[in-house]
Amino acid sequence: MAIVRTVLGDIDPSVLGNTNAHEHLFIRNGLILILEPDFRLDSEANAVSEVNDFRSHGGQAIVDTSPLGVGRDPEGLASVSRATGVHVVAATGFHKPRYYLDSHWRNRLCAEQIAQLFVEEIEIGMDAYGFEAPFRKTTSARAGVIKAASDYQNFTPAIRTGFEAAALAHAQTGAPILTHTEMGTMAHQQLALLAKHGASPDHVVLSHMDRNPDWMLHRDLAQTGAFLEYDGPGRIKYLPENAVMDLISKMFELGLGSQILLGGDTARRSYWKANGGSTGIAYVLEQFIPRLRKEGFPAQQIDAMLIGNPVRAFAFRDDRQSKK
Ligand SMILES: [Zn+2]
């Protein structure tokens, strides 16, 4: 039977419920915070407050997309999930190379060695220190998604290794893959590289695609079976919300609404209401969905993006038992 793997255990995909497909609850440390201090999310109390707010607007599940090396906190995710009753799916894998020092182990190991670490995080438990301490501390929280990331219009050798490792770990575990696209670029190249190493597009979520709101590109990507995650709502510096609404409308008109997911990606302390911000983790449910309703989007389309599609996108590949 297919499962979704949360930090508190495996669940039947059908109980996942109303899902925020791209979020960050903790960014505690790392080079990423030297590059961008506003990314610092280091308060469990604030995370609980934001997730409770999300739940009060109908939210039931969050996919935390902070992988190894960018301040992830597996035990923190488990305790936020316990405190709020919201399902949390955590990520292994890598973010884009600029967030890692040259000396990081990701730049020394080969794809097969890296894949083995991803597999351990999925099957045994995530390492509390992201494999950066001189010893391991395996937590009881297991990763439920594998992250891979590319740069703007670019695929360096380090990026390629990350994608190969993600695909190998998927082939072995059946865990879904979630990618970071920079401004919605390189998605076809991501899918091709993943497929070459054993991960078919129907187990891949392409993040931030609405930053490149080219519906013809989205049509072609969705037709492969891949999922497209939109997280522009509330982040007006990238594009106005009506552009995201037009894109959603077009995708449903093309019969491809089954491939769309919505995320918040409110990964800045200044966005969180708990820190005085005006959007926060509840934003999509609290403000964007009401706009969709007001503009006449049918309930079944909204439910597909929030509830139905995430079930397929975040379920483990169902044949994995027979492969063991
Ligand atoms: Zn993100």
Side-chain angles (χ1 to χ4, degrees), residues 118-258:
F118 294 171
V119 168
E120 288 173 25
E121 290 225 306
I122 296 160
E123 297 196 328
I124 303 167
M126 289 182 280
D127 184 58
Y129 308 118
F131 304 117
E132 288 176 60
F135 54 87
R136 289 192 188 191
K137 183 180 175 191
T138 304
T139 68
S140 60
R142 296 191 289 178
V145 69
I146 309 163
K147 176 126 172 202
S150 58
D151 284 338
Y152 180 66
Q153 301 286 33
N154 195 11
F155 244 92
T156 61
I159 291 170
R160 203 168 279 280
T161 302
F163 275 85
E164 287 178 24
L168 294 172
H170 165 83
Q172 202 173 324
T173 62
I177 294 171
L178 179 144
T179 77
H180 167 94
T181 66
E182 191 74 15
M183 300 299 286
T185 65
M186 306 301 282
H188 277 303
Q189 290 88 341
Q190 291 186 355
L191 293 178
L193 188 54
L194 291 171
K196 185 177 164 203
H197 294 275
S200 71
D202 51 324
H203 296 286
V204 179
V205 175
L206 304 162
S207 295
H208 318 311
M209 286 309 301
D210 51 341
R211 290 192 204 171
N212 180 13
D214 172 343
W215 66 262
M216 295 178 218
L217 170 68
H218 289 222
R219 173 197 60 201
D220 294 350
L221 291 167
Q223 281 171 346
T224 68
F227 294 89
L228 282 68
E229 183 264 326
Y230 297 165
D231 48 45
R235 300 200 293 161
I236 311 307
K237 65 181 180 180
Y238 297 119
L239 78 177
E241 284 179 1
N242 79 305
V244 185
M245 294 160 85
D246 288 346
L247 193 52
I248 291 171
S249 169
K250 186 71 184 175
M251 292 299 279
F252 275 99
E253 185 189 312
L254 292 166
L256 294 166
S258 60

Side-chain angles (χ1 to χ4, degrees), residues 274-285:
N275 297 316
S278 70
T279 58
I281 291 179
Y283 185 84
V284 166
L285 297 179

